[in-house]
């Protein structure tokens, strides 16, 4: 697809599969949590998470632990998030996709940058802390803070920041659908976890956003 140029007043980003790939680290942390909660017949892998990331956290837990009661599922999920946060915070590897940090810094000088994800509370903040991007992200929203869908959270963030013509960047059909719900264009990061059937534009590497905005 030929990259198209248009004037946007905001760049809204997904996290997993768009900005970084945390699945190897998260898979180990979640397996540890599952075993600790007595679910010893489940080994969570990076490939499994790549098929599930983008769903809200409770849906991911339902898919991974279908035989758990709601009470046990919530306990496992709480522990998964705890161990995930600790593991990501401690890991010193650069798990961002090529060019993410420098591109966000450059674009933020011209267009405000935002993040909306279906993640748990604290995950976006952890991403910003690890990448040193706190000063370059204007605002964020996530499922863990609002309990709302990604499309609703994009709309909420747009209203809060008086955005009239932003664009959303993600790597899944769910991201594409969320952008449609919010009534804004979608840019598909083809290097990410899954497929999307339609997009305003496609990028094969993150730095190509500089040619669109």
């Amino acid at each position: 697809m030929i990259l198209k140029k248009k004037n946007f007043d905001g760049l809204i980003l997904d996290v997993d599969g768009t900005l970084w790939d945390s699945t190897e680290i998260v898979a180990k942390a979640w397996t540890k949590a599952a075993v600790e909660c007595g679910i010893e017949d489940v080994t969570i892998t990076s490939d499994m998470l790549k098929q599930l990331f983008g769903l809200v956290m409770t849906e991911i837990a339902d898919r991974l632990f279908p035989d758990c009661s709601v009470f046990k599922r919530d306990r496992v999920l709480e522990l998964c998030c705890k161990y995930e946060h600790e593991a990501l915070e401690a890991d010193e590897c650069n798990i961002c996709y090529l060019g993410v940090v420098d591109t966000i810094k450059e674009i933020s000088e011209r267009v405000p940058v935002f993040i909306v994800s279906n993640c748990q509370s604290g995950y976006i903040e952890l991403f910003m802390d690890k990448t040193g991007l706190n000063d370059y992200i204007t605002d964020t929203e996530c499922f863990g803070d609002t309990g709302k869908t990604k499309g609703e959270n994009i709309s909420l963030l747009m209203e809060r920041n008086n955005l009239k013509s932003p664009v959303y960047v993600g790597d899944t059909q769910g991201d594409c659908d969320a952008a449609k719900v919010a009534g804004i264009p979608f840019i598909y990061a083809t290097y990410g976890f899954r497929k999307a059937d339609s997009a305003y534009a496609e990028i094969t590497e993150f730095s190509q956003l500089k040619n669109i905005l």
Side-chain angles (χ1 to χ4, degrees), residues 3-139:
L3 297 177
K4 308 170 187 179
K5 292 186 177 181
K6 183 178 178 180
N7 290 325
F8 296 107
D9 63 359
L11 172 64
I12 310 175
L13 303 168
D14 171 53
V15 179
D16 291 305
T18 302
L19 301 180
W20 72 5
D21 180 0
S22 66
T23 55
E24 287 285 352
I25 299 169
V26 173
K28 294 176 183 177
W30 283 37
T31 299
K32 175 184 174 182
V35 171
E36 191 168 311
C37 289
I39 309 172
E40 298 183 356
D41 58 342
V42 174
T43 299
I44 300 166
T45 67
S46 170
D47 287 340
M48 290 168 64
L49 293 181
K50 286 178 180 177
Q51 298 305 310
L52 297 174
F53 273 13
L55 301 175
V56 299
M57 300 299 294
T58 50
E59 289 182 75
I60 294 175
D62 284 340
R63 303 273 185 101
L64 290 175
F65 316 117
D67 297 328
C68 287
S69 65
V70 173
F71 177 80
K72 186 170 184 178
R73 180 208 68 186
D74 289 347
R75 170 57 184 151
V76 177
L77 185 56
E78 179 183 357
L79 204 57
C80 284
C81 292
K82 177 179 183 293
Y83 287 162
E84 168 188 323
H85 191 102
E86 291 173 352
L88 286 169
E89 194 169 41
D91 193 273
E92 296 181 356
C93 294
N94 179 11
I95 58 175
C96 284
Y97 292 110
L98 183 66
V100 164
V101 173
D102 289 341
T103 300
I104 288 176
K105 288 180 178 180
E106 182 175 334
I107 289 176
S108 69
E109 295 178 358
R110 297 180 279 118
V111 179
V113 180
F114 307 86
I115 296 177
V116 173
S117 170
N118 273 338
C119 62
Q120 69 272 25
S121 300
Y123 188 77
I124 298 174
E125 289 79 5
L126 176 62
F127 166 80
M128 293 190 298
D129 287 342
K130 285 187 69 67
T131 55
L133 287 171
N134 284 285
D135 293 338
Y136 302 91
I137 305 299
T138 300
D139 194 8

